[in-house]
Amino acid sequence: MMNTKARTAALITPVGQEAQDEARALAADGRTGKAARRLRRGSWLKRGPAREAVELLAGGHALPTSSAQALDALRRLDAALVVELTALLDGGQQIAAVKLLRERTGVDLAGGYHLVLELGGEPDTPSP
């Protein structure tokens, strides 16, 4: 059964293209556990979202490679959440915005922080 939060986190967590390509190849060889570990090593994905990300990659989907792409994905998935996050940021409540994003999407702390920075218009920093 699909975990909605894990899937959402997978869809909004940036993962480098090289890691995606390697994970896709590993999954095609039936090595999904190793594929998930590769994605985790190249991103802020936790275990559950990494497994969902492998399924997405195996299904032909691409994951975001930057915080800007991740924010675009979040806007498509949950525009109402983005409105709430923006209101919190406009009120100077960055920590509350990160907390809300994490509660609603299952994204990890670093990923949530960078998405909130992106939404607030601060420059994107590279993923780990």
Side-chain angles (χ1 to χ4, degrees):
M1 182 175 165
M2 177 185 70
N3 179 329
T4 304
K5 276 189 177 182
R7 190 167 198 85
T8 300
L11 289 167
I12 64 170
T13 300
V15 178
Q17 191 60 55
E18 183 178 326
Q20 289 187 47
D21 294 342
E22 290 175 19
R24 190 177 286 114
L26 288 165
D29 287 342
R31 297 167 36 184
T32 57
K34 190 165 186 159
R37 285 189 299 277
R38 174 61 183 103
L39 290 177
R40 290 187 70 208
R41 190 175 67 236
S43 70
W44 293 305
L45 287 169
K46 294 189 250 179
R47 279 190 194 124
R51 287 189 298 265
E52 291 290 337
V54 169
E55 287 183 29
L56 289 164
L57 290 171
H61 290 79
L63 303 174
T65 57
S66 68
S67 292
Q69 288 178 354
L71 182 56
D72 288 342
L74 179 60
R75 284 185 173 117
R76 288 188 303 274
L77 291 168
D78 196 343
L81 175 58
V82 173
V83 169
E84 288 181 63
L85 296 171
T86 302
L88 287 169
L89 289 173
D90 289 347
Q93 299 181 47
Q94 186 181 51
I95 293 171
V98 172
K99 183 177 178 182
L100 177 63
L101 178 62
R102 294 187 69 214
E103 288 171 355
R104 295 270 188 88
T105 66
V107 72
D108 84 329
L109 180 59
Y113 174 73
H114 287 281
L115 273 177
V116 166
L117 285 181
E118 184 70 31
L119 182 59
E122 298 200 22
D124 184 23
T125 57
S127 58

